Amino acid sequence: MRVIFYPPHSNSNDYVKLATEALESNDCEIINKRWEGDLNLILKSILSVLKNKKVIFHFNWLEENAAHKGAASFVKSRLILLFLYLFHILGGKVVWTMHNAKSHNGINARQDEFIRSFLKWTSLVIVHCTESAEILTKDYHFPENKILFVPHGNYCKSINNYVHDNNHKDSKVHFLYFGAISKYKGVPYLIKAFDCEYLHNNAELLICGKVNNDELKKRIEDSVEGIDNIKLKLHFLSDEELGSALAGCDATVLPYEKDSMQNSGSAIMSISAGKATVIPIFGYIKDIADKDFIISYDYKNKKEQVENLRNAMIEFCEKNKKDPDYAHRVGEEAKRFAVDELDWDNIMAKVAKRYNDCFRV
C-alpha cells in the first residue's frame, strides 16, 4: 500500500518516526519522505493518485489548521479541503488520526465547521481512545464502521538506551513534570498544588521543559521563589537530559487542562519509561484509569483542579511511605503494559489492514 503520511517528520517527538517505521514493516510504502514544501506535496500527491488509484493520504493533527483567527487561517483551511476533495474524487483515500477533538490553543469557531467538511471526504478515522470515537459518532455523526480504535504506540525504542532506575538516597518522593510548557499544560496549578506543608516535607518536584511565551515563563519563575523543594529547568531537554530526569523520578505529574485533551504523548512516554503517572482523567486516561500506575483525578473548577491534584500527589506519597517498593513495583507494571499492549508493529498491522479495506467499499 502506498501511503502519504503527513507530516512526514516531527522535531517535537518520535510519534511520526515510530508510526511510519511500523507501517513499513507491515508492507506499506511511505512515498512522501523526501517531498519538501506544501506545493510540492500537493502536486506529487495528485500525480501519485492519478498514476495509482490505491494511495492513502494519512493526515495527523488536522485540528490545528482552522483553529486561529485571520484570513491566512481561513484560506489555508479552505485550500486543504479543496485539495483533499480532489484527492478523494480522483480515487485516493483520506485517513485521519484524531489525536484531539480540537486545538489546544485554538480560538476560532470555524474549526468545528472545518472538521465537519473534512470528514465528508474521509474514509477512515484512527482514534487512540474510546472518548474520541464517542465524539465522532455523537457530535459529528460519523459512521462507526469508519472508525478504528488503536492505542497510541509506546516510546520504548526511543528511551531504552538511557532510562534507568533512580538512585536517590533520601526518603522523599521525587515528582517530575516534563515536556513543552504552554497554557493548557497546567504548570501554574501544579506549583500551587505542590506548595503545601505535606509535600514540602515529603516530596520534591522538578519541572523541565521550554516555556512557549515569556509572560508564562516569568509567572512560573516568580511563583516558585522561596519554595525550596521545587526546581526548574525551563529549556528544551536533550535526550540525555530527559533520560536523566526520568531516571531520577519516582513518578511523573502531568497536570493538563483536560478540555482539549484526548491523548498525551508525554503520558505514553512516562509509561514507556516505567513510571507511575499523576494525571487528570480524560480521553485515553479513562481507558486505563484502573491501572495501578495511573493516579488520576478529576475536577470541575479551578479550585478543585489544585486541590484534587494535590490530593493525588499526597496519595502517591502515602502509598510509597507504607510500601517503599511501591513506586518501583507500579513502574514495572507500567513498563510491561507499554511493551505488551502498546507495540507499534501490532498497532500498525491493524491500521494497514484497514487501509486495504478502504478500497473495498
Side-chain angles (χ1 to χ4, degrees):
M1 179 62 64
R2 292 165 61 82
V3 179
I4 300 164
F5 198 90
Y6 187 84
H9 318 286
S10 174
N11 295 323
S12 59
N13 66 59
D14 283 345
Y15 180 94
V16 172
K17 177 178 180 289
L18 295 168
T20 52
E21 285 178 352
L23 283 171
E24 287 174 324
S25 72
N26 282 283
D27 299 322
C28 293
E29 178 188 2
I30 310 300
I31 63 176
N32 64 313
K33 284 184 175 181
R34 295 177 178 81
W35 298 358
E36 298 295 337
D38 288 344
L39 182 59
N40 197 27
L41 172 76
I42 291 169
L43 293 174
K44 289 191 174 182
S45 296
I46 296 297
L47 286 173
S48 295
V49 78
L50 284 171
K51 290 179 181 178
N52 182 345
K53 300 290 185 184
K54 294 185 75 170
V55 180
I56 294 285
F57 194 108
H58 190 147
F59 216 123
N60 291 268
W61 299 290
L62 169 77
E63 65 277 0
E64 293 293 333
N65 288 285
H68 306 285
K69 289 182 178 178
S73 175
F74 177 79
V75 171
K76 181 180 180 181
S77 62
R78 289 302 179 269
L79 288 175
I80 290 171
L81 291 175
L82 175 60
F83 160 67
L84 293 175
Y85 168 70
L86 289 172
F87 189 87
H88 172 81
I89 64 171
L90 290 172
K93 300 297 181 182
V94 177
V95 174
W96 174 34
T97 293
M98 179 181 169
H99 294 277
N100 294 294
K102 58 182 179 180
S103 168
H104 298 307
N105 302 302
I107 51 177
N108 192 341
R110 287 200 303 260
Q111 184 177 234
D112 185 69
E113 176 197 348
F114 171 70
I115 291 176
R116 289 183 189 279
S117 298
F118 175 85
L119 287 172
K120 293 177 183 177
W121 319 118
T122 303
S123 298
L124 176 67
V125 179
I126 311 294
V127 297
H128 290 326
C129 66
T130 55
E131 184 176 83
S132 292
E134 291 168 2
I135 290 170
L136 283 167
T137 55
K138 292 179 181 178
D139 295 352
Y140 293 101
H141 305 292
F142 192 73
E144 190 173 345
N145 64 350
K146 290 186 175 183
I147 301 171
L148 172 64
F149 165 73
V150 291
H152 186 307
N154 67 51
Y155 287 110
C156 295
K157 188 182 293 187
S158 300
I159 63 179
N160 271 342
N161 292 332
Y162 56 79
V163 174
H164 307 284
D165 289 340
N166 71 58
N167 57 359
H168 289 297
K169 295 181 174 62
D170 59 58
S171 60
K172 287 188 172 183
V173 170
H174 292 258
F175 289 103
L176 169 70
Y177 170 90
F178 69 98
I181 300 173
S182 50
K183 185 178 178 182
Y184 77 92
K185 296 293 183 75
V187 171
Y189 297 104
L190 171 58
I191 294 168
K192 286 183 181 178
F194 211 81
D195 189 13
C196 71
E197 183 178 358
Y198 180 94
L199 292 171
H200 280 303
N201 294 331
N202 293 281
E204 291 193 356
L205 170 64
L206 175 61
I207 298 174
C208 294
K210 185 175 180 180
V211 188
N212 71 350
N213 71 68
D214 292 338
E215 182 182 346
L216 179 58
K217 183 177 182 181
K218 187 176 188 310
R219 180 183 170 193
I220 291 169
E221 289 172 336
D222 289 347
S223 65
V224 301
E225 284 190 10
I227 305 177
D228 294 335
N229 64 332
I230 301 180
K231 308 298 181 186
L232 301 179
K233 290 185 178 180
L234 302 183
H235 60 264
F236 177 79
L237 298 183
S238 67
D239 286 349
E240 291 75 18
E241 287 177 298
L242 176 59
S244 176
L246 283 166
C249 77
D250 298 296
T252 66
V253 54
L254 303 172
Y256 301 151
E257 300 271 359
K258 63 181 184 176
D259 290 346
S260 65
M261 298 289 295
Q262 268 87 58
N263 297 283
S264 166
S266 292
I268 302 299
M269 177 73 79
S270 174
I271 295 167
S272 302
K275 299 296 176 179
T277 307
V278 180
I279 193 167
I281 190 159
F282 61 78
Y284 182 60
I285 304 305
K286 293 179 181 178
D287 294 341
I288 59 172
D290 62 330
K291 305 298 181 184
D292 288 339
F293 55 83
I294 296 295
I295 299 89
S296 64
Y297 63 96
D298 203 1
Y299 60 87
K300 296 178 182 177
N301 52 52
K302 301 302 182 186
K303 182 181 178 183
E304 285 189 2
Q305 189 172 1
V306 172
E307 290 179 350
N308 295 349
L309 169 56
R310 176 180 294 151
N311 291 336
M313 290 186 287
I314 290 173
E315 175 191 338
F316 183 86
C317 291
E318 284 292 294
K319 288 181 177 179
N320 202 61
K321 188 181 293 187
K322 292 176 182 176
D323 176 8
D325 193 48
Y326 172 72
H328 177 77
R329 189 176 68 256
V330 297
E332 287 291 304
E333 181 187 332
K335 186 72 173 183
R336 286 194 299 273
F337 178 84
V339 171
D340 295 342
E341 303 296 330
L342 308 181
D343 177 75
W344 276 106
D345 281 348
N346 292 339
I347 290 167
M348 286 306 176
K350 296 175 183 177
V351 173
K353 180 180 183 303
R354 291 297 296 269
Y355 281 168
N356 285 289
D357 292 345
C358 287
F359 292 97
R360 297 193 179 103
V361 179

